Amino acid sequence: MYYYTDLHIHSKYSRATSKNLNLEELAIWANKKGLNLIGTGDFTHPAWFEEIKEKLIQADDGTFKLKPEIEKQIGANIKFILTVEISTIYKKWDKTRKVHHVVFVPNIKSADIFRKKLDTIGNIKSDGRPILGLDSRNLLETVLESGENSFIIPAHIWTPWFSVLGSKSGFDSIEDCYEDLSEHIFALETGLSSDPEMNWQVSKLDRFRLVSNSDAHSASKLAREATVFDIEPNYYSIIEALKTGKGYTGTVEFFPEEGKYHEDGHRKCNICLTPEETKKYNGICPVCGKPLTIGVLSRVNELSDRKEIIKPPKTAGKVFSLVPLQEIISEIKGIGPASKSVTIEYEKLINTFGAELEILQNIPIEEISKHSALLGEAISRLRQGKVIKKAGFDGEYGEIKLFNKNELI
Ligand SMILES: [Zn+2]
Ligand SMILES: [Zn+2]
Ligand SMILES: [Zn+2]
């Protein structure tokens, strides 16, 4: 049996997130998606931390659940673990570095120690994802000092502006970033714009297990990526699985082309280039003459030391490439994924067949086809990896389609 987790998410207290992103909403959507455990996100934020303490109860395996009366009221239940994303911005070796990290702690006590320490360093009140002028190495030290079993997973490690290996403000290796404490990093988040196969091109990443998470800013986006385990996930089994591989299965992935920073380009100039084309233009935008935003594919190529992709035998997991169900319905109906009739159809499907991850991966195609022949065909193609890709660039999402335009007229 597979268990699905989504470990990097946000609350309504992070910038640019949905206003109704509270714990109940997260639980309801986690159930619709078929997740077994999610992060709380944003636990350093005072108001969110109060909500966590008020509405959740802790088990001794490092997980939390909504109080029974709340679960009953909303008809949903999910396990949480305490997580927060931290953005560090600082100068190192004459370059400005901006790195995002997902922090995990096993209990309220460690969370409190960590929050209080950060409160003396910077502002944790204005944003659920605090921005601190702190060296990443020192952030990791603070995490480790907050108590036993607290840890960091570097977030979306390839995005150009805000990640450990990003082209604009990252480093060339995990070790350059976390220095003498690097051994405490054992997992990396691939982010929406890269998939495990791309990461396997860089041999110095072989020792890390790869995780994927939604980084959702609204609850309906949960599980668009996820990390999969084959043992019941709790705080400690997740650490064990990510450190040793015991219980680690792999990841649910976006097709990386769908991510906002897959290829290179300029959104304003409407220029999207492959790594080869970027080289031809010497990294300069042919429209405005300014440096292009170098995407994840180029950056992986730059750090790659392998001609052929080799699956690291010790750490590699399975890869499940999916497209969110709302997007598939939206393509079939020819209207936006947030529109009402997509929502109605989505709810109908969840009520008929069960959770979204089940529908996308396991419900027999014949059964889905009885409900909608087009949807059956779409999901059949998805399961075979027969998709049509248009790459994202410079903050613009890419598109993954299952039908040619003329098939849907
Ligand atoms: Zn981030
Ligand atoms: Zn995030
Ligand atoms: Zn331009």
Side-chain angles (χ1 to χ4, degrees), residues 144-367:
L144 297 171
E145 283 170 0
S146 73
E148 221 182 320
N149 291 309
S150 300
F151 65 100
I152 274 182
I153 296 180
H156 42 72
I157 59 167
W158 294 104
T159 52
W161 304 100
F162 299 106
S163 74
V164 60
L165 299 177
S167 63
K168 292 282 182 192
S169 33
F171 296 88
D172 286 346
S173 73
I174 304 298
E175 290 71 21
D176 282 351
C177 180
Y178 297 103
E179 297 187 14
D180 55 316
L181 299 180
S182 300
E183 59 175 309
H184 297 283
I185 304 289
F186 43 86
L188 305 173
E189 186 185 69
T190 61
L192 300 179
S193 298
S194 93
D195 64 2
E197 210 168 272
M198 290 166 68
N199 289 266
W200 296 336
Q201 294 173 39
V202 184
S203 69
K204 61 187 167 200
L205 303 185
D206 284 359
R207 79 170 181 89
F208 302 99
R209 284 201 172 70
L210 300 177
V211 301
S212 278
N213 302 300
S214 69
D215 199 355
H217 288 206
S218 64
S220 65
K221 295 260 164 53
L222 281 178
R224 56 185 177 174
E225 294 206 323
T227 307
V228 191
F229 298 92
D230 57 23
I231 44 163
E232 181 127 23
N234 64 51
Y235 191 89
Y236 301 101
S237 70
I238 288 175
I239 296 185
E240 160 106 348
L242 295 179
K243 278 188 177 168
T244 68
K246 186 174 165 273
Y248 170 81
T249 301
T251 51
V252 168
E253 298 284 333
F254 252 33
F255 288 89
E257 291 82 1
E258 189 168 3
K260 285 196 275 192
Y261 292 102
H262 187 69
E263 289 193 343
D264 313 324
H266 267 170
R267 181 148 61 149
K268 274 194 303 209
C269 306
N270 199 21
I271 285 286
C272 171
L273 302 173
T274 63
E276 295 73 34
E277 291 168 329
T278 299
K279 269 194 203 131
K280 228 169 54 194
Y281 289 110
N282 291 319
I284 300 297
C285 173
V287 173
C288 71
K290 296 198 182 119
L292 293 158
T293 301
I294 301 302
V296 165
L297 192 58
S298 274
R299 182 64 177 152
V300 170
N301 286 350
E302 195 182 336
L303 295 186
S304 164
D305 56 349
R306 286 194 170 126
K307 289 243 154 42
E308 267 168 60
I309 294 165
I310 300 166
K311 231 178 162 177
K314 287 210 183 95
T315 54
K318 290 196 171 112
V319 179
F320 309 90
S321 293
L322 298 179
V323 175
L325 184 56
Q326 293 110 317
E327 285 176 28
I328 300 176
I329 302 168
S330 148
E331 184 187 353
I332 291 172
K333 286 182 175 285
I335 47 173
S339 50
K340 188 138 195 214
S341 78
V342 171
T343 307
I344 291 169
E345 175 69 4
Y346 181 84
E347 296 294 331
K348 213 189 269 174
L349 289 166
I350 300 295
N351 289 332
T352 311
F353 297 113
E356 176 176 341
L357 286 164
E358 271 296 300
I359 296 175
L360 295 176
Q361 297 182 290
N362 299 326
I363 302 290
I365 297 295
E366 310 85 73
E367 280 184 41

Side-chain angles (χ1 to χ4, degrees), residues 11-59:
S11 76
K12 62 188 169 189
Y13 297 106
S14 277
R15 295 231 171 104
T17 57
S18 161
K19 287 288 146 283
N20 51 12
L21 206 45
N22 56 26
L23 292 164
E24 292 89 339
E25 186 81 358
L26 285 166
I28 290 167
W29 275 97
N31 282 182
K32 286 185 197 179
K33 297 284 176 175
L35 291 165
N36 302 93
L37 178 148
I38 61 177
T40 58
D42 298 3
F43 78 73
T44 51
H45 191 275
W48 189 238
F49 196 54
E50 280 312 306
E51 195 170 328
I52 287 169
K53 287 193 289 187
E54 189 192 307
K55 291 181 182 168
L56 300 184
I57 37 175
Q58 173 153 31

Side-chain angles (χ1 to χ4, degrees), residues 8-10 85 100 129 155-156 215-217:
H8 176 179
I9 64 146
H10 292 279
E85 183 181 30
H100 287 187
R129 185 191 62 204
H156 42 72
D215 199 355
H217 288 206

